[in-house]
Amino acid sequence: MQRGCIGLSNLYVGLVHYPVYNKRGRVVCTAVTNLDIHDIARCARTFGVRVAYFINPLDSQRELANRIILHWTRGPGAYHNPARKRALDRVQVRATLKEVIQEISEAHSLPVRTVATDATWQGETVSYPEMRELLCDRSQPYLLVFGTGWGLSREVLEGSDYILTPIAGVLNYNHLSVRSAVAIILDRLMENRQRGGSREWIPSN
Amino acid sequence: MQRGCIGLSNLYVGLVHYPVYNKRGRVVCTAVTNLDIHDIARCARTFGVRVAYFINPLDSQRELANRIILHWTRGPGAYHNPARKRALDRVQVRATLKEVIQEISEAHSLPVRTVATDATWQGETVSYPEMRELLCDRSQPYLLVFGTGWGLSREVLEGSDYILTPIAGVLNYNHLSVRSAVAIILDRLMENRQRGGSREWIPSN
């Protein structure tokens, strides 16, 4: 197992718009949010994530997402803001989680391991140090799965290889935006803690 | 000095819309962004920050921000989404950073210490462990200052008591959204690292 490794180049992120819950606990498909694309792409780029997938089964929603991405990668946005282009260059849009899993697995000739996230999961979870340790095996790809709306359906959670320990704040408030959750989780997995101001990767043990 | 402390109740956050730089390095006033209010409020609530201040000298911008906040705290939004109300309940809108500094200092009968943030600052900075240590003195209020646009003006940075070490990713990409930066920095300062899945506050040393 490789230690002292930099970046998260064997890590993929997937933002799922279906199947997720709405506030009434029904499984729905949510709409693409412009700032999700920007914020998650910028985090992915910052922490060296390989690809950020936006997953939505509706053609019209995928078209919208692709139009936004094209504006910043090949349209006027690329000239206006080259840093944004560098971020959005690593965003892909797909219809289903299954398709994403298959695509990554084929690229690595190895089944990708899925790591679901949830704000409230009470069952068995993988901790951040454990996940950092797993990510140090660079031959193994991992897909970190985030849900929009009121979170990933139970079916997705239970079908995942791992479920990451929820982010705990104080006062039992667990309503971060998915944009904030992605930022915090990638930072924790990167474990670039800058202890004492240094910038080195710090192994988990 | 108190150790093993929970939450960040002596910490305030300020999001500055003026004076900040635009992409050409000119000092400008940026517009209020709806999702900044939501995401930063939700992070503030999650990590127990006392108040999140949105700072904009333009009357029309403060009115807009207050309309958004009122919708979710006393309007239909409060009924529609009580969790969002709990977050936006700790948001305040003010015209200037000076006014915010004065207000906090008066409330604590002690000058608030300001901690500016910047994506690229190369001068002397305070590290995350040092800042966590400082925050454990609960009698001393701190104001964490974030800039919109291309970041806080040099005048604000140099006028601050501390400047926090920038978030370093990989590949020299330092273009996180301010929403992501707030999320990551509060998580680091909270240092609720959930090592091994536990939820205890872990002192910095």
Side-chain angles (χ1 to χ4, degrees):
Chain A
M1 190 173 291
Q2 195 183 339
R3 299 296 287 273
C5 38
I6 300 290
L8 298 169
S9 62
N10 55 334
L11 183 65
Y12 296 77
V13 164
L15 184 70
V16 170
H17 296 77
Y18 173 87
V20 296
Y21 294 117
N22 69 4
K23 64 180 282 196
R24 290 180 187 80
R26 292 210 184 134
V27 172
V28 296
C29 180
T30 59
V32 164
T33 300
N34 178 44
L35 277 191
D36 285 357
I37 301 178
H38 286 265
D39 283 12
I40 293 172
R42 293 161 81 179
C43 281
R45 184 82 204 190
T46 299
F47 295 111
V49 165
R50 191 83 160 244
V51 178
Y53 286 99
F54 284 71
I55 302 165
N56 197 306
L58 300 178
D59 292 347
S60 58
Q61 287 288 303
R62 290 202 307 285
E63 277 166 28
L64 172 63
N66 277 320
R67 267 182 60 201
I68 294 168
I69 294 163
L70 276 172
H71 173 82
W72 294 100
T73 53
R74 297 193 211 165
Y79 170 78
H80 175 72
N81 190 341
R84 197 61 56 88
K85 171 177 161 45
R86 284 175 68 202
L88 292 189
D89 269 342
R90 51 181 74 194
V91 174
Q92 297 289 338
V93 182
R94 296 290 182 269
T96 65
L97 184 56
K98 191 176 168 188
E99 193 182 330
V100 170
I101 290 170
Q102 197 170 340
E103 183 172 316
I104 301 170
S105 301
E106 282 174 7
H108 290 260
S109 306
L110 193 68
V112 65
R113 289 189 190 149
T114 54
V115 186
T117 60
D118 189 82
T120 59
W121 184 259
Q122 299 297 317
E124 196 185 340
T125 61
V126 60
S127 71
Y128 295 90
E130 285 163 352
M131 196 64 231
R132 283 195 294 272
E133 196 67 39
L134 288 169
L135 283 169
C136 277
D137 175 6
R138 290 313 170 94
S139 62
Q140 175 62 54
Y142 289 89
L143 171 61
L144 198 53
V145 186
F146 292 87
T148 54
W150 265 250
L152 293 166
S153 76
R154 199 164 177 96
E155 174 197 345
V156 173
L157 290 169
E158 291 180 348
S160 299
D161 295 306
Y162 305 94
I163 298 175
L164 199 58
T165 304
I167 297 166
V170 296
L171 313 167
N172 290 327
Y173 186 87
N174 59 357
H175 303 279
L176 288 171
S177 74
V178 73
R179 296 170 292 282
S180 299
V182 169
I184 290 169
I185 287 174
L186 290 182
D187 184 56
R188 289 186 181 189
L189 294 182
M190 182 60 198
E191 184 60 279
N192 188 342
R193 290 280 149 243
Q194 302 174 298
R195 296 184 193 281
S198 71
R199 294 183 174 217
E200 75 279 13
W201 166 275
I202 295 161
S204 53
N205 299 350
Chain B
M1 192 172 291
Q2 195 183 340
R3 300 296 288 271
C5 39
I6 300 290
L8 298 169
S9 62
N10 55 334
L11 183 66
Y12 296 78
V13 165
L15 184 70
V16 170
H17 296 78
Y18 173 86
V20 296
Y21 294 117
N22 70 4
K23 62 180 283 195
R24 290 181 188 80
R26 290 208 186 136
V27 172
V28 295
C29 179
T30 59
V32 164
T33 300
N34 178 45
L35 277 190
D36 285 357
I37 300 178
H38 287 265
D39 284 12
I40 293 172
R42 293 161 81 178
C43 279
R45 183 82 204 188
T46 298
F47 295 111
V49 166
R50 192 82 161 244
V51 178
Y53 286 99
F54 283 71
I55 302 163
N56 196 307
L58 300 177
D59 291 348
S60 59
Q61 287 288 303
R62 289 202 307 285
E63 277 166 27
L64 172 63
N66 277 320
R67 267 182 60 201
I68 293 168
I69 295 163
L70 277 171
H71 172 82
W72 293 100
T73 53
R74 297 191 211 168
Y79 170 77
H80 175 72
N81 190 340
R84 197 60 57 88
K85 171 179 161 44
R86 285 175 67 201
L88 292 189
D89 269 341
R90 50 181 74 192
V91 174
Q92 297 289 338
V93 182
R94 296 292 181 268
T96 65
L97 184 57
K98 191 177 168 187
E99 193 182 332
V100 170
I101 289 170
Q102 196 169 340
E103 182 171 316
I104 301 170
S105 300
E106 282 174 7
H108 289 260
S109 305
L110 194 68
V112 64
R113 291 190 189 149
T114 54
V115 186
T117 61
D118 189 81
T120 58
W121 184 258
Q122 300 296 316
E124 196 185 340
T125 61
V126 61
S127 71
Y128 294 90
E130 285 164 353
M131 197 62 232
R132 283 195 294 272
E133 197 66 39
L134 288 168
L135 283 169
C136 277
D137 174 5
R138 290 313 169 94
S139 63
Q140 174 61 55
Y142 289 90
L143 171 62
L144 197 54
V145 186
F146 293 87
T148 54
W150 265 251
L152 293 167
S153 76
R154 199 165 177 97
E155 174 198 343
V156 173
L157 289 169
E158 291 179 348
S160 298
D161 296 307
Y162 304 95
I163 299 175
L164 198 58
T165 305
I167 297 166
V170 296
L171 312 168
N172 290 326
Y173 186 86
N174 59 358
H175 303 280
L176 287 172
S177 74
V178 73
R179 297 170 291 281
S180 300
V182 170
I184 290 169
I185 287 174
L186 290 182
D187 183 57
R188 288 185 181 188
L189 294 182
M190 182 59 198
E191 185 60 278
N192 186 340
R193 289 281 149 243
Q194 302 174 301
R195 296 184 192 280
S198 72
R199 295 184 173 216
E200 75 279 13
W201 167 273
I202 295 162
S204 54
N205 299 351

